[in-house]
């Protein structure tokens, strides 16, 4: 094999390693969205001269449209294991300037985040050198850990309820107790190996 051929192989390797960057020359917006099954990255390309629209979710191409003559509009798609509905709105601001807004489940991202703070609790912990993200959906009492819905067992106790599950052979439960205050409602606490885990703010 001649040395020139070796360089060509290296060039191909470099090209394939960075090919996703070449594709994303019209990248106009990036969002990170926390869902129960994890935090998802949404990227949007909009070619204002070619009319191209491309949506990536976690680096995977979900939508590609070439030569769209209408530069404004909406692209709808789903995100995550629960197939959460999402949409990117493309609006003309002035001249050739555009505004891109993300909607999750029909709500603006800001409204979605505010609602999510009321309807979920999230904890991040490290067990045996591995990070775990545990999410409680308060309306259904579903528990998610690193993108997977956990099998749980509910139990009534003297001062409330406990939802038991196991993470990496560690005994866990989420204790639900009334705060005694109407505005605060029920307080959910994660207990792992008999120690309380502080709630994370996402």
């Amino acid at each position: 094999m001649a040395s020139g051929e070796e360089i060509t192989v290296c060039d191909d390797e470099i090209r394939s390693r960075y090919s996703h960057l070449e594709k994303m020359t019209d990248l106009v917006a990036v969002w990170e969205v926390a869902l129960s099954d994890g935090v998802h990255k949404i990227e949007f390309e909009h070619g204002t001269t070619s009319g191209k629209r491309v949506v990536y979710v976690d680096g995977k191409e979900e939508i590609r449209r070439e030569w769209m003559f209408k530069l404004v509009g909406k692209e709808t798609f789903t995100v995550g294991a629960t197939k959460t509905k999402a949409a990117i709105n493309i609006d003309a601001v002035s001249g050739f300037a555009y505004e891109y807004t993300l909607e999750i489940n029909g709500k603006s991202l800001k409204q979605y985040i505010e609602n999510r703070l009321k309807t979920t609790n999230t904890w991040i912990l490290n067990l045996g050198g591995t990070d775990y993200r545990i999410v409680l959906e308060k309306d259904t009492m579903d528990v998610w850990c690193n993108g997977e819905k956990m099998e749980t067992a509910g139990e009534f106790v003297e001062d409330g309820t406990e939802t038991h599950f196991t993470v990496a052979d560690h005994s866990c439960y989420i204790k639900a107790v009334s705060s005694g205050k109407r505005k605060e409602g029920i307080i959910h606490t994660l207990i792992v190996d008999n120690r309380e885990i502080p709630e994370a703010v996402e």
Side-chain angles (χ1 to χ4, degrees):
M1 188 190 287
S3 61
E5 289 173 313
E6 288 176 13
I7 292 170
T8 306
V9 170
C10 290
D11 286 348
D12 288 344
E13 285 176 23
I14 290 168
R15 244 185 243 109
S16 67
R17 188 177 297 162
Y18 297 103
S19 64
H20 71 285
L21 294 176
E22 284 176 31
K23 288 183 212 164
M24 299 181 96
T25 54
D26 293 322
L27 187 67
V28 293
V30 178
W31 297 275
E32 287 197 345
V33 180
L35 300 177
S36 295
D37 69 332
V39 179
H40 299 278
K41 187 176 187 178
I42 298 169
E43 298 165 293
F44 183 57
E45 285 185 56
H46 188 217
T48 54
T49 51
S50 66
K52 176 179 76 172
R53 297 180 192 176
V54 186
V55 176
Y56 297 92
V57 177
D58 298 326
K60 182 177 172 272
E61 189 176 296
E62 292 294 319
I63 296 172
R64 174 175 289 273
R65 301 191 200 292
E66 303 283 352
W67 303 108
M68 298 280 294
F69 293 106
K70 190 175 179 190
L71 294 176
V72 295
K74 181 185 257 190
E75 293 297 338
T76 56
F77 53 99
T78 60
V79 180
T82 56
K83 300 285 184 208
T84 301
K85 291 178 186 166
I88 296 172
N89 293 304
I90 308 150
D91 297 299
V93 181
S94 63
F96 293 104
Y98 296 89
E99 182 178 81
Y100 308 95
T101 53
L102 179 68
E103 289 179 4
I104 303 292
N105 278 340
K107 295 182 169 88
S108 72
L109 186 58
K110 184 177 186 274
Q111 289 172 321
Y112 173 78
I113 291 168
E114 287 169 359
N115 185 58
R116 190 165 170 74
L117 289 172
K118 294 175 195 164
T119 60
T120 64
N121 289 82
T122 303
W123 297 271
I124 295 173
L125 63 147
N126 188 294
L127 297 172
T130 303
D131 288 329
Y132 294 94
R133 179 179 178 269
I134 297 172
V135 178
L136 167 68
E137 293 180 351
K138 294 184 214 178
D139 53 349
T140 59
M141 291 305 286
D142 286 341
V143 176
W144 292 77
C145 179
N146 288 2
E148 289 187 37
K149 196 168 163 184
M150 304 299 288
E151 283 203 27
T152 61
E155 180 183 336
F156 288 101
V157 292
E158 189 179 319
D159 53 352
T161 63
E162 292 178 357
T163 303
H164 292 261
F165 57 100
T166 305
V167 173
D169 297 325
H170 292 266
S171 173
C172 309
Y173 66 91
I174 296 171
K175 188 169 180 117
V177 180
S178 173
S179 64
K181 297 175 187 153
R182 211 171 134 199
K183 281 198 176 216
E184 281 182 43
I186 296 171
I187 297 171
H188 296 89
T189 309
L190 175 64
I191 311 291
V192 178
D193 296 335
N194 295 316
R195 77 183 166 97
E196 187 176 323
I197 306 299
E199 192 174 347
V201 179
E202 291 188 304

